[in-house]
Amino acid sequence: MRRLGRLGSAALVGPAVLLIAACGHSAPAPASPATAGTAQTAAAGGATVPSALTATPGSTTGSTGVGSDQLNQFDNQIGNQINQIDNQIGQANQGLATSEGDPTQ
Amino acid sequence: MRLRHPLRVGIATLAVTAALGAASALPTMADTSVSPSAATSSSSPAPSPSPAGKVGGCVGSPSTILACIKSRAATAISNRETALQQMTTDINNSADITSSDKSTLLGQIQADESGLTALNATIQADTTAQQAWTDAQTIVTGYRVYLLEAPKVHLVIVADTEGAVESHISSVMPALQTAITDSTASAANKAKAQTAYNDCSSQLAAAESASSGIVSEVIDLLPSGYPGNQPTLVSARQSAETARQELGTCRTDINTIRSALGI
């Protein structure tokens, strides 16, 4: 169920992002595009992802329609999650290292 | 007669030496367990400590030893309850743990806390050092707070967080592929971006494979299965670290794509 839920979320979000990104490439940027700070879509596990990787004011987009601001935000979120992973692995290691003191080992 | 007394004292000292180290460790982090029989394995027929006896780290008369064991046991339980509360905090602070895993772990922790509270009451009501010592062993063997519960909780949080990162990355991959395909960057840079994209795709799949089984492997591990189930924790830790490295590489790949395309 856990995996199914994530896959379901990804299945919904992924095509939406693709579709919107494609539209962003073939059409002019909207007059009032959603900014990275306001256009958030809940992702699995409470994370957020840019709801549309389209041009945002002040961001570098080139011809791709992918906003650098939103990619920066995406990278920051991934970085925070990886930091938490590192922290939790470190705590798990403490318990596993303690097992050396168990005489039954 | 002069030889018999020192001999008796010597035997009594040997009999409790093994237990001494473990009792000293009771209030510490180590889940060192010692057979309850260690406290009575002497050739001495006396089932209780001698007047000048020693059980665990406790020395003195039987009543003094009993009080000492009770005090150490209370400290050991308090320390474990503190650790369990910290685990609860970690679970509640995790933005990525699934509701199902959160509920399961919190239920296990609550059961441990209730069990330890009851165990402390039992120990405090014990009337002999031997019984208190026997009951005190259960603090370690019945709960394995440090050796099993803590790694289990943290590994579940890790696995769920990795799953969230995998979903997160998966959700933007199609847009990144579109960006590469439609980019006006040089052919060389587009090729570089595509190579990075392909690598990220592979890393992502490998991370999903590594992390997907961790929760089911560890979340129902029981103290009664320890140390036999300890290798499962070690294996799960390795899988978690593998997925972590692959996700980190994928993140780097995405930044390579951005650099190549100028986005």
Side-chain angles (χ1 to χ4, degrees):
Chain A
M1 288 299 291
R2 184 173 71 89
R3 281 285 163 205
L4 186 58
R6 287 190 183 131
L7 289 173
S9 297
L12 289 172
V13 173
V17 170
L18 177 61
L19 178 61
I20 295 170
C23 291
H25 169 71
S26 60
S32 301
T35 64
T38 58
Q40 299 295 319
T41 300
T48 57
V49 299
S51 62
L53 295 179
T54 55
T56 57
S59 71
T60 303
T61 61
S63 63
T64 65
V66 180
S68 60
D69 284 352
Q70 291 168 313
L71 286 173
N72 285 338
Q73 184 185 29
F74 167 81
D75 186 63
N76 287 337
Q77 290 172 344
I78 296 294
N80 289 336
Q81 288 172 307
I82 286 178
N83 284 341
Q84 185 179 16
I85 289 169
D86 289 342
N87 178 269
Q88 294 295 319
I89 287 177
Q91 294 192 59
N93 284 339
Q94 289 180 9
L96 292 172
T98 308
S99 66
E100 293 173 1
D102 193 311
T104 62
Q105 291 296 303
Chain B
M1 291 298 290
R2 292 183 61 191
L3 291 175
R4 291 177 64 185
H5 177 66
L7 180 61
R8 186 178 63 206
V9 172
I11 291 173
T13 302
L14 287 172
V16 299
T17 297
L20 172 61
S24 299
L26 257 182
T28 72
M29 282 288 291
D31 265 354
T32 305
S33 64
V34 173
S35 168
S37 63
T40 57
S41 62
S42 165
S43 58
S44 169
S48 59
S50 66
K54 202 173 182 185
V55 175
C58 300
V59 183
S61 67
S63 62
T64 301
I65 291 174
L66 176 59
C68 175
I69 292 173
K70 288 181 178 182
S71 175
R72 288 176 180 268
T75 300
I77 288 173
S78 176
N79 289 342
R80 283 160 175 78
E81 288 176 336
T82 298
L84 290 168
Q85 288 163 6
Q86 183 58 54
M87 291 177 218
T88 299
T89 299
D90 289 345
I91 291 168
N92 287 328
N93 285 346
S94 172
D96 297 313
I97 192 169
T98 69
S99 59
S100 173
D101 293 344
K102 180 176 182 178
S103 175
T104 298
L105 290 178
L106 290 179
Q108 292 175 355
I109 289 173
Q110 180 59 50
D112 284 349
E113 290 175 334
S114 299
L116 284 168
T117 298
L119 177 58
N120 190 39
T122 297
I123 293 170
Q124 299 309 316
D126 283 336
T127 56
T128 68
Q130 175 59 41
Q131 186 59 51
W133 174 248
T134 299
D135 288 338
Q137 304 309 299
T138 311
I139 299 170
V140 174
T141 60
Y143 296 92
R144 300 290 184 185
V145 170
Y146 301 128
L147 300 188
L148 178 69
E149 297 297 339
K152 180 171 72 174
V153 165
H154 296 304
L155 286 172
V156 169
I157 294 174
V158 167
D160 283 348
T161 305
E162 288 175 341
V165 172
E166 290 155 7
S167 295
H168 202 172
I169 293 175
S170 293
S171 70
V172 300
M173 290 298 278
L176 287 173
Q177 180 60 75
T178 298
I180 295 169
T181 301
D182 295 347
S183 175
T184 57
S186 68
N189 280 344
K190 288 183 69 171
K192 182 178 180 182
Q194 188 64 55
T195 298
Y197 179 92
N198 293 342
D199 184 67
C200 183
S201 295
S202 297
Q203 299 285 343
L204 183 59
E208 289 171 339
S209 176
S211 66
S212 62
I214 292 175
V215 171
S216 62
E217 288 172 5
V218 304
I219 199 166
D220 290 323
L221 294 181
L222 299 173
S224 59
Y226 194 90
N229 54 22
Q230 201 258 3
T232 302
L233 289 171
V234 173
S235 174
R237 186 263 309 272
Q238 181 58 53
S239 295
E241 290 180 335
T242 297
R244 154 66 180 92
Q245 293 306 316
E246 288 159 342
L247 291 173
T249 300
C250 193
R251 181 189 183 200
T252 301
D253 286 335
I254 291 173
N255 285 326
T256 297
I257 295 170
R258 296 181 61 186
S259 176
L261 301 184
I263 55 176

